Amino acid sequence: MTICICDGTTEGIMTAVFDAWTIGVDDTSIAIDGMNNCEWFAEYHNVTTDNTKALRVMSAIRKKISWRAYEMVYTASISDNPERGNAILGFLRKGFKIGASVVDDLQDDNVLKVFKLSKKTYREYEHYREFLRFRKQGAYLMAKVDPKSNILSMLADFFADRFRQESFMIVDMNRSIAAMHVPDSECIISHVDTEQIKGLDYDENEEEIRILWEVFEKTIAIEARINEKLQKQNMPLIYRKYMDIRK
């Protein structure tokens, strides 16, 4: 058995898939660097992320399996599960054999795992998409997130489509990366210094807006119907960290 160790990025996992087919896909597994345990009698292959190899694998998934399979693999690859690489390899091993029907073969352990990881990533993305709060920062808008899955690119694409004429930045505080957008352009993702981001001061009227919102919230509230348990179900505390609202 050969274990391909990759960096855990989508491109890294796809490169590992490419290398696994070169080595011998039936005798290969994928592990994320720093998250694998040593196995007896296994050989280790350190994968160097190669965008050309990754793009070839992604293209093959779309052409030879389906777009749905590609979406599942992509969203599973950006999850935080340490076993995502091997699950994706098993999914693709079967997918390239049977084609588009693989996405419905939930009796297969790897297919089921990829399905669950994809669903979990989408759920987190949809929550952040609904709860994300931008605040005025000079000439642009800024929002902070700290998701478990690496969904920054998905969020950037969503808001770039809706805020085409706005300059904004979405910062992933967990991964020290940010998506930056200027009017009528695509987002650029780059590494940032989160400590510097934490030290930035927002516009003065942001505090006024926050206070006005709290006054509005208290004014329309019906005290007898306040249900904090239901509020936490509809808007979990994990998504409120950077919203500046009461816990």
Side-chain angles (χ1 to χ4, degrees), residues 16-235:
V17 170
F18 185 99
D19 287 359
W21 248 270
T22 303
I23 296 168
V25 69
D26 293 328
D27 298 311
T28 312
S29 63
I30 294 177
I32 306 301
D33 188 20
M35 298 182 180
N36 59 294
N37 295 318
C38 292
E39 295 185 18
W40 290 103
F41 311 114
E43 295 182 7
Y44 289 86
H45 170 67
N46 290 313
V47 174
T48 301
T49 300
D50 185 321
N51 288 335
T52 301
K53 291 180 180 179
L55 289 171
R56 286 180 63 181
V57 174
M58 292 184 215
S59 177
I61 296 171
R62 293 191 294 266
K63 292 179 180 178
K64 298 182 180 180
I65 306 179
S66 68
W67 266 94
R68 173 60 181 148
Y70 170 76
E71 290 172 352
M72 286 176 60
V73 166
Y74 173 73
T75 48
S77 74
I78 61 175
S79 75
D80 63 336
N81 190 292
E83 299 178 0
R84 62 190 182 277
N86 210 40
I88 289 170
L89 179 63
F91 176 95
L92 295 177
R93 186 187 290 128
K94 188 162 193 174
F96 284 124
K97 288 180 180 177
I98 69 173
S101 63
V102 68
V103 299
D104 299 315
D105 188 7
L106 300 183
Q107 298 300 315
D108 184 287
D109 289 342
N110 288 313
V111 176
L112 179 61
K113 189 157 196 170
V114 168
F115 173 81
K116 287 182 176 180
L117 292 179
S118 174
K119 189 174 181 180
K120 181 181 177 182
T121 299
Y122 265 117
R123 187 183 300 116
E124 185 176 33
Y125 158 68
E126 287 170 355
H127 275 107
Y128 270 106
R129 187 184 68 184
E130 294 168 359
F131 300 145
L132 191 68
R133 183 183 176 223
F134 287 92
R135 296 194 294 178
K136 189 74 173 174
Q137 175 67 54
Y140 61 93
L141 303 173
M142 177 184 286
K144 300 174 186 176
V145 295
D146 56 354
K148 293 180 180 179
S149 300
N150 189 7
I151 57 173
L152 181 62
S153 180
M154 295 173 68
L155 288 173
D157 288 343
F158 176 83
F159 285 103
D161 182 57
R162 280 146 184 82
F163 296 165
R164 295 181 183 179
Q165 301 303 317
E166 297 287 349
S167 294
F168 67 79
M169 176 188 294
I170 304 174
V171 184
D172 185 332
M173 302 297 286
N174 273 347
R175 296 170 180 80
S176 298
I177 55 176
M180 291 162 277
H181 177 267
V182 294
D184 296 319
S185 69
E186 296 182 355
C187 283
I188 298 173
I189 295 180
S190 176
H191 286 278
V192 294
D193 183 348
T194 53
E195 291 302 316
Q196 186 177 15
I197 296 294
K198 291 176 183 177
L200 292 175
D201 293 325
Y202 293 99
D203 283 9
E204 294 179 0
N205 63 353
E206 281 293 330
E207 179 63 16
E208 296 178 10
I209 293 172
R210 187 182 67 81
I211 294 172
L212 286 171
W213 174 257
E214 288 190 356
V215 171
F216 171 74
E217 184 182 35
K218 291 177 182 178
T219 302
I220 66 170
I222 301 174
E223 187 173 352
R225 294 187 178 182
I226 293 177
N227 186 335
E228 291 189 3
K229 184 176 180 180
L230 181 60
Q231 289 176 5
K232 291 176 182 178
Q233 287 179 348
N234 291 333
M235 185 183 285

